[in-house]
Amino acid sequence: MNLTDEQRLDWLRLIRSENVGPRTFRALINQCGGAAAALEALPDLARRGGRLMLKVTSRAEAEKEMAAAARLGVHFIAMGEPDYPKTLQAIDTAPPLIAVRGSTEVLARPAVAMVGSRNASASGLTFTERLSRQLGKAGYVVVSGLARGIDTRAHKATLETGTIAVLAGGHDKVYPSENEPLLRAIVEQGGAVISEMPMGWEPRGRDFPRRNRIVSGLSYGVIVVEAARRSGSLITARFALEQGREVFAVPGSPLDPRAEGTNDLIREGATLCAGLEHVTSVLEPLIASGPRLDTGAEEPQHLLGTEELWDELDLPDIPRAPLGSVLPSAGLDDERMDSASGLIELLGPSPIAIDDLVRQSGLSIRAVQMTLLELEIAGRLERHGGNAVSLI
């Protein structure tokens, strides 16, 4: 599947619109049949969910972003297209579009993530460099987040064999800025740099966990070299577990706070990593079988998955209609039009499973999904793990 230029523009407009993230994007295409139709439907969906106004990205705004990306040599790859990484496509929060700078060849090779402390120890940096080089020579691409410390050393050690850097901000807002030369070296030497964020986007604190789920999603396994107990590297490890990926932890001294997180991971069941064979012996069988894929994103066919767990871009507060003004969607059957308000009454601040909503409301699955989608687009619904929802 390859998008036309017009479809790619529509996809970019849709994913950049307010309250639309990866899972909501899929739900909209499921309900509307394509990105163009979803863009047309967004204002009405938001109104019926209780939102008086919704920021829908304009064609001009999307074209401006594409032009800015092109000037940097960045191009957009859609989920389901041949160059989209199959491992990343397998996670249910896969970005519908990734902005890629550099080689797409490395995106098709088996990858391992290396993450760890920004203020790494000398021994941690030495081990990272040695293991990264060994992984590269063994045919693996090393993925990391371009951060200081362990990330930087892992990228530098694998410039010749292949590395992928995942950004928390836009391609023109590299963080930390001191790593801009490293980013250029990655691109020039056959690696790739990936971001899901808009051009011009300055990374904020919550953007780094978003980035981390892509770091783990690109990889068959995540190696944590050093991590304190509240380290962002542990967030990457958690995402890896949720995504069904392997987690490896390098043991460290019990006297070093930078090893507390990794030692905890080992106690909790992560694979102890003290050398290359500890990684390859676990990953080789997984790579041979390949990642378990979702159905993929195709236009205009339906997609699986409706949840949206990720906070979207900060936007000004917009007036909302009172919750009681939520209206049913046009085009649904009489059952849906008569009972939408009854479904809303079943929702509250405590999470409830969507299956329970269907059963207790007596509505069809389609009617329930449409009402939830309207509330989500209006910014009134929160998705939880295990297919549960609650009102905000």
Side-chain angles (χ1 to χ4, degrees):
M1 186 275 292
N2 281 295
L3 297 184
T4 65
D5 291 344
E6 191 67 22
Q7 288 173 331
R8 200 178 310 277
L9 191 67
D10 287 340
W11 277 45
L12 183 61
R13 289 184 60 198
L14 185 58
I15 194 59
R16 295 289 188 253
S17 294
E18 185 181 3
N19 290 342
V20 177
R23 286 170 168 165
T24 311
F25 184 99
R26 297 185 182 191
L28 284 165
I29 290 184
N30 274 338
Q31 296 292 342
C32 302
L39 288 165
E40 291 289 332
L42 271 179
D44 190 54
L45 289 171
R47 182 182 64 82
R48 295 179 188 280
R51 191 71 174 254
L52 297 180
M53 298 173 61
L54 186 79
K55 176 65 173 68
V56 178
T57 299
S58 69
R59 182 184 182 90
E61 289 170 325
E63 288 175 339
K64 182 179 179 180
E65 180 175 351
M66 282 193 164
R71 287 193 291 271
L72 275 182
V74 175
H75 60 284
F76 293 92
I77 302 175
M79 186 167 62
E81 292 190 307
D83 287 336
Y84 195 97
K86 297 298 184 290
T87 45
L88 184 60
Q89 185 170 306
I91 71 172
D92 63 356
T93 57
L97 282 175
I98 53 174
V100 179
R101 183 179 177 189
S103 170
T104 57
E105 183 271 335
V106 293
L107 304 181
R109 291 168 49 194
V112 179
M114 292 275 288
V115 298
S117 176
R118 286 174 169 79
N119 62 332
S121 67
S123 61
L125 292 172
T126 299
F127 181 84
T128 297
E129 182 171 355
R130 183 180 69 185
L131 181 58
S132 296
R133 290 186 187 277
Q134 291 173 341
L135 287 165
K137 291 178 180 178
Y140 291 89
V141 172
V142 171
V143 182
S144 202
L146 205 71
R148 299 181 180 97
I150 298 299
D151 291 25
T152 294
R153 187 61 60 92
H155 287 308
K156 288 182 176 179
T158 52
L159 285 173
E160 295 181 0
T161 54
T163 186
I164 300 171
V166 185
L167 304 180
H171 275 274
D172 53 349
K173 298 295 180 181
V174 178
Y175 181 86
S177 59
E178 66 205 49
N179 271 348
E180 287 187 13
L182 175 58
L183 184 149
R184 290 194 297 270
I186 291 172
V187 172
E188 291 167 358
Q189 297 190 45
V193 182
I194 290 178
S195 177
E196 67 171 333
M197 303 305 286
M199 297 293 293
W201 187 260
E202 291 274 6
R204 308 150 305 166
R206 66 178 183 178
D207 295 323
F208 292 93
R210 290 172 59 103
R211 175 206 62 185
N212 291 354
R213 114 274 187 189
I214 297 178
V215 170
S216 58
L218 286 164
S219 312
Y220 281 90
V222 173
I223 303 168
V224 184
V225 179
E226 289 182 338
R229 285 206 167 105
R230 296 181 64 84
S231 168
S233 299
L234 300 183
I235 297 175
T236 310
R238 177 171 61 83
F239 281 132
L241 290 172
E242 293 173 354
Q243 294 163 355
R245 311 300 159 86
E246 295 296 322
V247 175
F248 304 86
V250 177
S253 168
L255 301 179
D256 190 343
R258 291 169 294 197
E260 290 177 345
T262 49
N263 291 341
D264 287 347
L265 286 175
I266 293 169
R267 284 198 301 272
E268 293 165 4
T271 300
L272 185 149
C273 176
L276 176 67
E277 66 280 2
H278 293 159
V279 178
T280 56
S281 63
V282 174
L283 295 188
E284 284 174 357
L286 300 178
I287 294 169
S289 60
R292 182 168 56 88
L293 301 180
D294 290 343
T295 55
E298 296 187 5
E299 173 92 17
Q301 298 177 6
H302 290 328
L303 310 175
L304 296 180
T306 59
E307 304 91 347
E308 171 53 54
L309 297 179
W310 305 100
D311 288 335
E312 297 310 312
L313 312 184
D314 282 338
L315 291 158
D317 290 335
I318 298 175
R320 299 180 179 182
L323 193 58
S325 70
V326 175
L327 301 175
S329 291
L332 291 180
D333 53 27
D334 292 340
E335 166 220 40
R336 162 75 172 92
M337 297 182 69
D338 292 340
S339 306
S341 59
L343 174 65
I344 294 168
E345 291 176 359
L346 295 173
L347 292 165
S350 298
I352 180 172
I354 293 176
D355 290 345
D356 290 338
L357 282 175
V358 173
R359 183 168 52 253
Q360 293 180 26
S361 67
L363 299 172
S364 66
I365 294 176
R366 180 170 181 258
V368 170
Q369 288 178 336
M370 180 58 79
T371 300
L372 296 180
L373 180 59
E374 292 166 351
L375 292 171
E376 192 168 14
I377 293 298
R380 294 183 175 274
L381 191 77
E382 181 177 2
R383 301 277 182 172
H384 304 271
N387 205 31
V389 296
S390 66
L391 286 180
I392 296 174

